[in-house]
Amino acid sequence: MNVVVATLNAKYIHTCLALRYLKAYAAPEFDVHICEFTIKDPALNIATDLFNKQADVIGFSCYIWNIEETITVVNLLKKINPALTIVLGGPEVSYDVIDWLDRVKEADFIVIGEGEKPFKSLLSALKDNEHYHDIDGLAFRENGKNIIHPPKTKLDLNTIPSPFRFQEDLSDLSKRITYVETSRGCPFSCQFCLSSIETGVRYFDIERIKEDLLYLMENGAKTIKFVDRTFNLKKDYALEMFRFLIDHHRKGCVFQFEITADIMRPEVLEFLNKHAPKGLFRFEIGVQSTNDLTNKLVMRKQNFEKLAKTVTMIKEGGKIAQHLDLIAGLPE
């Protein structure tokens, strides 16, 4: 069975971590091929390229920035080859599943939430011509009805193989952004963010993360972005990772983290301002709003005084680049 996983990145320099997790988890039973495009590529060109792969199954990783273009590609593929099995997954389709099943009739399945296990289970069922009724985390249609099987358990993160050991990625490591996660989940309830729906935070074993980072750096990775929702949630974990990167980074490497500024411990910043080489770290700080009523309405807990102290401390330290985000269009 020929299986392809694809996505439309916002830019060529971006890479999709999700596709690499799916490929790693499906192996060795399935040799999954990764195809990445951008939202600027003509839909017909993308559909033609994917059609030429002669796939039996194509899975699309869907996000807010690519969903409309992805639907166009899916429609084209189904017109060219109605027998093709199309699977959608990713945050944009994981929640309002019924709406997406109704809207995108050309999609045969939607994977809900963490995709590694249900996607592989679906591939096994399709290959062996078995039914998929008992697969948790999968949605589909049957006899005109939408069938939804929500996820029941979360993966043990340390059972997922590394997504970074593919030969075909090595030549691009120095040219593109590499995304890494040390945890999944978010402890906060901000109502503008899909991460608030998932409760609890799980961590990968830190030694495994260190091995992956060494491998990436040794093979030429230059820009590594951590996609953890709040990298500094666990002080000891974050501090150990900062120490490791200071001690083992390669010349020219840059590491970016999403941090929550008002919970950043002063002693961590003091350590970084003293020991971190200038330019090694970048912090993305989500302020989102400085309006207390707005934060209350969107259930965002934020101590602006502490946030300001953290931002000022980073600026005065002169070691870490930082950029702050605001969201336009929130209530009030």
Side-chain angles (χ1 to χ4, degrees), residues 170-181:
L170 296 184
S171 62
D172 286 335
L173 280 179
S174 64
K175 308 168 196 169
R176 304 176 74 185
I177 298 168
T178 301
Y179 296 92
V180 172
E181 62 177 356

Side-chain angles (χ1 to χ4, degrees), residues 183-203:
S183 64
R184 290 184 182 178
C186 182
F188 303 115
S189 302
C190 309
Q191 295 301 284
F192 51 78
C193 180
L194 286 176
S195 296
S196 66
I197 296 173
E198 182 181 352
T199 57
V201 180
R202 293 164 293 149
Y203 281 82

Side-chain angles (χ1 to χ4, degrees), residues 17 21 157-158 179-184 201-206 209-210 213 225-232 237-238 241 257:
L17 181 59
Y21 274 124
L157 297 184
N158 293 306
Y179 296 92
V180 172
E181 62 177 356
T182 69
S183 64
R184 290 184 182 178
V201 180
R202 293 164 293 149
Y203 281 82
F204 287 88
D205 178 73
I206 197 166
I209 299 296
K210 290 176 182 177
L213 289 168
K225 289 190 177 184
F226 290 78
V227 297
D228 305 74
R229 280 64 162 182
T230 304
F231 186 81
N232 60 315
Y237 193 103
M241 190 61 69
F257 309 87

Side-chain angles (χ1 to χ4, degrees), residues 1 14 32 53 56 58 70 97 132 163 168 238 243 246 257:
M1 188 166 68
H14 297 169
V32 174
K53 303 295 181 187
D56 301 295
I58 300 181
T70 299
V97 180
Y132 30 79
E168 58 267 34
R243 280 199 183 101
I246 289 169
F257 309 87

Side-chain angles (χ1 to χ4, degrees), residues 5-267:
V5 289
T7 199
L8 283 64
N9 295 317
K11 297 179 180 179
Y12 168 76
I13 60 169
H14 297 169
T15 54
C16 183
L17 181 59
L19 300 187
R20 288 156 176 84
Y21 274 124
L22 294 174
K23 177 178 173 67
Y25 197 84
E29 291 85 354
F30 300 96
D31 182 17
V32 174
H33 303 280
I34 292 176
C35 291
E36 291 181 282
F37 307 93
T38 77
I39 54 175
K40 299 293 186 183
D41 295 330
L44 186 58
N45 290 7
I46 297 172
T48 301
D49 189 60
L50 289 173
F51 173 75
N52 288 337
K53 303 295 181 187
Q54 295 298 300
D56 301 295
V57 178
I58 300 181
F60 287 92
S61 193
C62 303
Y63 304 87
I64 191 170
W65 62 80
N66 72 12
I67 186 62
E68 296 302 329
E69 293 85 353
T70 299
I71 291 172
T72 300
V73 172
V74 166
N75 292 343
L76 286 169
L77 285 169
K78 271 294 191 179
K79 286 179 181 177
I80 300 168
N81 180 14
L84 174 65
T85 298
I86 290 180
V87 185
L88 304 183
E92 191 62 18
V93 297
S94 276
Y95 298 100
D96 296 327
V97 180
I98 292 176
D99 290 341
W100 287 112
L101 283 174
D102 290 341
R103 181 180 173 189
V104 191
K105 299 292 187 182
E106 293 77 9
D108 300 286
F109 300 94
I110 293 178
V111 171
I112 306 168
E114 283 182 314
E116 291 93 346
K117 188 174 181 180
F119 185 66
K120 184 174 184 177
S121 298
L122 174 62
L123 294 181
S124 297
L126 294 173
K127 179 184 177 184
D128 298 333
N129 200 27
E130 296 176 351
H131 215 282
Y132 30 79
H133 265 138
D134 59 347
I135 298 176
D136 296 328
L138 192 66
F140 51 91
R141 299 177 210 83
E142 189 168 79
N143 298 323
K145 294 183 178 180
N146 294 327
I147 310 295
I148 314 293
H149 291 293
K152 290 183 180 177
T153 58
K154 294 177 180 177
L155 275 175
D156 175 352
L157 297 184
N158 293 306
T159 64
I160 305 173
S162 170
F164 303 116
R165 298 300 196 271
F166 305 125
Q167 282 295 124
E168 58 267 34
D169 279 340
L170 296 184
S171 62
D172 286 335
L173 280 179
S174 64
K175 308 168 196 169
R176 304 176 74 185
I177 298 168
T178 301
Y179 296 92
V180 172
E181 62 177 356
T182 69
S183 64
R184 290 184 182 178
C186 182
F188 303 115
S189 302
C190 309
Q191 295 301 284
F192 51 78
C193 180
L194 286 176
S195 296
S196 66
I197 296 173
E198 182 181 352
T199 57
V201 180
R202 293 164 293 149
Y203 281 82
F204 287 88
D205 178 73
I206 197 166
E207 297 305 320
R208 166 200 164 135
I209 299 296
K210 290 176 182 177
E211 288 179 11
D212 278 342
L213 289 168
L214 285 174
Y215 176 86
L216 290 169
M217 288 187 287
E218 287 166 0
N219 284 282
K222 296 298 183 185
T223 303
I224 296 176
K225 289 190 177 184
F226 290 78
V227 297
D228 305 74
R229 280 64 162 182
T230 304
F231 186 81
N232 60 315
L233 182 64
K234 284 175 66 175
K235 185 196 95 170
D236 292 343
Y237 193 103
L239 191 55
E240 183 175 346
M241 190 61 69
F242 289 142
R243 280 199 183 101
F244 173 80
L245 294 173
I246 289 169
D247 292 341
H248 295 89
H249 72 277
R250 304 298 191 266
K251 186 177 179 179
C253 283
V254 176
F255 302 92
Q256 181 165 323
F257 309 87
E258 294 185 28
I259 71 158
T260 299
D262 60 345
I263 66 168
M264 177 63 87
R265 301 288 288 270
E267 59 267 31

